[in-house]
Amino acid sequence: ALVEVPDLADLLFRIPRRLHDAQWRLGIRAMAADLSARTVTLADGQVIDWSGLVIATGLTPRRLNLPGPTGGRHVIRTFDDARRLRAELVPGARVVVVGAGFIGCETAATARRIGAQVDVVAPEAVPMERPLGTALGAALQRRHEAHGVRFHLGRRPVRLVGDDRITAVELDDGTLLPADVLVEAVGCTPSVDWLEGNGLDLSDGVRTDNLLRVVDGTGVRPDVVAAGDVTRFPNPRFDDEPRRVEHWTMVTDTAKQAGHSLAAYLTGAPSPDVPFAPLPSFWSDQYDVRLQSFGAPALGVDDIRVLEGDLDREVVVGYHRDGELVGVVLVGMAGRYLHYRGVLADAGRRSGLNRTANPVPDRPRHELV
């Protein structure tokens, strides 16, 4: 949340006592890796030898390639990003958010609560369309509009107006949106440039096997693992297709699995024989409503059903692929979270963590058209 930004000292990572003997080289980028020589080259010229390598470089925010001033432009990825933006979110500020995904919509909600004027620009037909589908996205749009957010959907920015600071954003239909602040919430790209030249599949993050060991042109590299949202791995809970998952839970889930896999290699122990099949989950706070999701709703946006409630109030929405439940999103309905999370978890266990089965909920379901 951007409404109340805590002191930086309260958010600093505390190094556990047992890790005090680790060497921390903070503030120095990794510029290149040579997996054959087992070295990493840092920005200051240092070359580090390794026996095991963990790739956890995360994502870099995309920026809009637009002419115009740079003052007043923001992305949101780090604490410093949030702190700089919060300083400019004041009552009456004219805020344009480009991007209607979760970050864009959460920013719009926060800015409205502060008292700013908010316009959201996106090429999609409804907010959060790709992960949530058209019906739920449209319902959430209505909630935002009820709080005064103005949407410009099916539109793209083409020019920024102003001298040193932005004063307006011009859209592709000629609309000119007055702006003091521009938030660029247009997604991220995996930070993998430093791994080029090693024969890895870096087309969308780092390709790994199910145990998070990287895959190169010759096969699996047990001495190199990847963790976090830079990792693209197959999850047998859904299918064999490698995918990146940017949900917050993936940070700890993949870190634990990558640690187990690398430790097995370094100690000569057998590789883990249990499939890595995490159940992705995330939440999003927008105004006084919390969205909670688990599973993979994006895999089932072609078959969406209301499991409980009403789209314009509190609701549970199920996402199905080939008739099988693969994801659930709750808007409100906090008391039903554990029930539906258990439905998906049990389905995965019954199907051998291959394709999730589709247990019938104990409430009526309604097709969404």
Side-chain angles (χ1 to χ4, degrees):
L2 298 174
V3 177
E4 296 181 5
V5 177
D7 187 87
L8 177 59
D10 295 332
L11 299 180
L12 291 177
F13 175 66
R14 307 298 179 187
I15 300 175
R17 186 176 301 276
R18 64 181 180 279
L19 296 181
H20 282 183
D21 58 348
Q23 295 185 39
W24 297 84
R25 302 173 191 249
L26 304 178
I28 306 175
R29 290 176 56 88
M31 300 302 293
D34 186 333
L35 301 192
S36 297
R38 290 185 171 180
T39 61
V40 170
T41 301
L42 305 185
D44 62 1
Q46 295 181 75
V47 177
I48 301 175
D49 298 317
W50 49 267
S51 300
L53 177 66
V54 179
I55 300 168
T57 40
L59 309 178
T60 301
R62 293 191 182 99
R63 303 303 302 253
L64 296 170
N65 183 20
L66 295 176
T70 58
R73 297 178 62 171
H74 297 267
V75 295
I76 304 175
R77 184 68 184 175
T78 68
F79 175 83
D80 286 337
D81 292 338
R83 184 164 54 181
R84 283 189 291 266
L85 175 58
R86 178 62 183 89
E88 297 194 3
L89 291 183
V90 297
R94 301 170 302 176
V95 178
V96 173
V97 179
V98 178
F102 288 108
I103 296 297
C105 288
E106 289 170 5
T107 302
T110 298
R112 283 299 299 145
R113 291 179 62 187
I114 290 172
Q117 304 173 43
V118 179
D119 290 273
V120 175
V121 179
E124 295 84 9
V126 298
M128 298 166 280
E129 180 178 23
R130 185 180 64 83
L132 299 183
T134 301
L136 183 53
L140 294 172
Q141 178 181 341
R142 292 191 289 271
R143 291 173 185 262
H144 279 274
E145 289 173 335
H147 284 85
V149 175
R150 298 179 292 262
F151 285 90
H152 308 267
L153 300 170
R155 302 266 66 92
R156 298 176 184 272
V158 295
R159 184 172 68 97
L160 306 181
V161 180
D163 296 324
D164 296 330
R165 285 189 59 88
I166 184 174
T167 60
V169 177
E170 183 180 348
L171 305 186
D172 54 2
D173 64 351
T175 300
L176 207 61
L177 300 178
D180 305 303
V181 177
L182 171 65
V183 179
E184 301 172 41
V186 290
C188 297
T189 56
S191 302
V192 295
D193 291 351
W194 63 288
L195 295 166
E196 295 283 356
N198 287 287
L200 304 181
D201 180 352
L202 305 176
S203 56
D204 181 22
V206 180
R207 168 76 165 88
T208 74
D209 70 355
N210 173 250
L211 299 181
L212 305 188
R213 303 170 299 188
V214 303
V215 178
D216 63 15
T218 62
V220 174
R221 287 285 304 250
D223 56 339
V224 185
V225 297
D229 44 16
V230 75
T231 308
R232 178 162 50 99
F233 66 96
N235 187 338
R237 183 178 292 278
F238 305 111
D239 52 36
D240 296 326
E241 179 69 23
R243 297 182 181 89
R244 284 193 313 105
V245 182
E246 297 185 11
H247 301 338
W248 68 277
T249 55
M250 286 297 101
V251 176
T252 52
D253 289 345
T254 57
K256 290 175 182 178
Q257 178 60 61
H260 287 310
S261 296
L262 185 58
Y265 166 75
L266 293 175
T267 62
S271 297
D273 58 0
V274 177
F276 178 53
L279 183 64
S281 64
F282 70 90
W283 77 79
S284 176
D285 291 327
Q286 299 179 31
Y287 308 106
D288 57 348
V289 174
R290 168 164 287 191
L291 282 73
Q292 298 185 92
S293 170
F294 39 86
L299 298 181
V301 292
D302 293 330
D303 184 359
I304 305 175
R305 311 171 192 177
V306 171
L307 305 183
E308 293 188 45
D310 185 290
L311 283 170
D312 287 310
R313 296 179 177 81
E314 293 196 347
V315 68
V316 181
V317 178
Y319 296 76
H320 302 75
R321 182 179 60 176
D322 298 330
E324 300 172 349
L325 185 69
V326 293
V328 176
V329 173
L330 296 87
V331 180
M333 290 284 192
R336 299 294 284 164
Y337 177 86
L338 291 178
H339 167 75
Y340 283 104
R341 194 181 193 284
V343 166
L344 275 179
D346 290 344
R349 283 192 288 269
R350 284 197 300 273
S351 62
L353 293 176
N354 188 5
R355 288 293 189 94
T356 48
N358 183 29
V360 179
D362 55 6
R363 303 290 180 92
R365 296 181 301 182
H366 308 281
E367 301 289 339
L368 294 184
V369 179

